[in-house]
């Protein structure tokens, strides 16, 4: 795809209310979505394509090196889907700071009124995203400046407690864009608010992985952000809804444009075999993780759009009861998909 093609696709999806977005890494992601009647501002100018609301925003700059990659993952009796915005592994790295660092006024903030706020890198050392906070609160700035140069997780460091209490803007940045969240930070035992929010999970960050093991990614590329289009079986909060054939068709078209040709061919072959009445034991079932996920996703989709697969196919492909998804920051945590 050309830069113009990618920009046009991103522009269309920013205008689409049901599209959700996230940016970050395994264990630290910022998510953006908006409600059907929620006011939003679309910025479409040279060097900046963004959507913002009173609760958060997502914006993109130079998309010339981005590769779009669509995929699906079986989860329980349903599935997730997403389109990853990937960069080459040798071109995705951000600053990888490991201590709290003051960066100065955030001149690249998505909203003009936020550009005087002071940006601090939290020092999480992640590869494809800098995990930052932004504040204009003099009290919080004072605490953060006094703790600069130290790890947030150092015993006795007051910075993390001050951040949680003050609830500053969270700003996650990648080479081609950023996601900002303006809503308060919930307490450690609290529930994330609906709409834009963030997850920072030190246990998962310590794995050093760039993405969930259940998400296929092209060799040599790293996913830095994701688009999660409307799901045919789940609403924006992940709740089951009546089957939406239009949403299904829309994502299958995206999968055909940006997906793995091997997995697309597998789904097509298995669907044809099921439709012809061929017995399941005559099918060559893939023994790799992503092939099994594709086959199981197909079963779930056919069960909704009909006709339902024969029992021998269900028994063969679901015999392992699926593979468990990994906690948070995994495919099913990337919005309603």
């Amino acid at each position: 795809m050309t830069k113009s093609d990618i920009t046009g696709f991103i522009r269309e999806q920013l205008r689409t209310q049901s599209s959700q977005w996230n940016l970050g890494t395994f264990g630290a992601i910022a998510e953006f979505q908006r409600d059907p009647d929620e006011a939003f501002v679309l910025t479409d100018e040279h060097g900046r394509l963004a959507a913002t609301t009173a609760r958060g925003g997502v914006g993109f700059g130079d998309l010339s090196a981005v590769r779009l990659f669509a995929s699906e993952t079986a989860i329980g009796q349903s599935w997730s889907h997403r389109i990853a915005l990937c960069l080459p592994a040798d071109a995705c790295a951000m600053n990888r700071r490991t201590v709290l660092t003051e960066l100065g006024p955030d001149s690249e903030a998505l909203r003009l009124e936020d550009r005087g706020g002071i940006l601090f890198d939290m020092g999480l050392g992640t590869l494809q995203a800098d995990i930052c906070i932004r504040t204009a609160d003099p009290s919080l700035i004072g605490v953060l400046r006094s703790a600069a140069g130290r790890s947030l997780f150092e015993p006795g460091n007051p910075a993390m407690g001050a951040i949680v209490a003050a609830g500053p803007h969270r700003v996650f940045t990648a080479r081609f864009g950023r996601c900002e969240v303006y809503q308060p930070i919930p307490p450690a035992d609290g529930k994330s608010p609906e709409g834009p929010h963030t997850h920072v999970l030190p246990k998962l960050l310590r794995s050093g992985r760039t993405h969930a093991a259940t998400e296929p990614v092209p060799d040599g590329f790293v996913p830095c952000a994701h688009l999660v289009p409307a799901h045919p079986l789940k609403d924006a909060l992940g709740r089951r809804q009546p089957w939406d054939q239009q949403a299904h068709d829309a994502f299958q078209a995206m999968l055909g444009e940006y997906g793995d040709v091997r997995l697309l061919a597998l789904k097509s072959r298995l669907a044809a075999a099921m439709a012809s009445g061929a017995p399941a034991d005559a099918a060559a079932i893939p023994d790799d993780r992503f092939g099994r996920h594709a086959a199981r996703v197909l079963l779930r989709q056919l069960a909704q759009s009909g006709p339902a697969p024969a029992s021998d196919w269900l028994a063969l492909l679901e015999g392992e009861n699926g593979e468990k998804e990994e906690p948070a920051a995994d495919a099913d945590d990337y919005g309603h998909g």
Side-chain angles (χ1 to χ4, degrees), residues 169-252:
H169 293 176
R170 277 82 76 212
V171 180
F172 289 28
T173 63
R175 287 291 175 192
F176 55 73
R178 58 169 52 202
C179 188
E180 303 183 359
V181 174
Y182 313 139
Q183 299 201 96
I185 300 174
D189 59 350
K191 180 182 178 181
S192 295
E194 294 181 6
H197 62 278
T198 55
H199 296 285
V200 176
L201 303 169
K203 181 178 179 180
L204 297 186
L205 286 171
R206 285 194 291 271
S207 73
R209 288 170 40 188
T210 60
H211 60 284
T214 48
E215 179 187 0
V217 174
D219 290 343
F221 284 81
V222 172
C224 303
H226 295 84
L227 157 68
V228 184
H231 194 280
L233 202 57
K234 294 182 282 186
D235 68 12
L237 298 178
R239 300 172 301 200
R240 192 177 181 89
Q241 65 180 11
W243 177 252
D244 185 339
Q245 187 66 42
Q246 184 176 354
H248 176 65
D249 292 342
F251 189 78
Q252 294 308 300

Side-chain angles (χ1 to χ4, degrees), residues 31-42:
E31 301 184 31
F32 172 74
Q33 63 190 75
R34 58 186 176 89
D35 293 339
D37 57 351
E38 187 172 10
F40 78 105
V41 175
L42 180 68

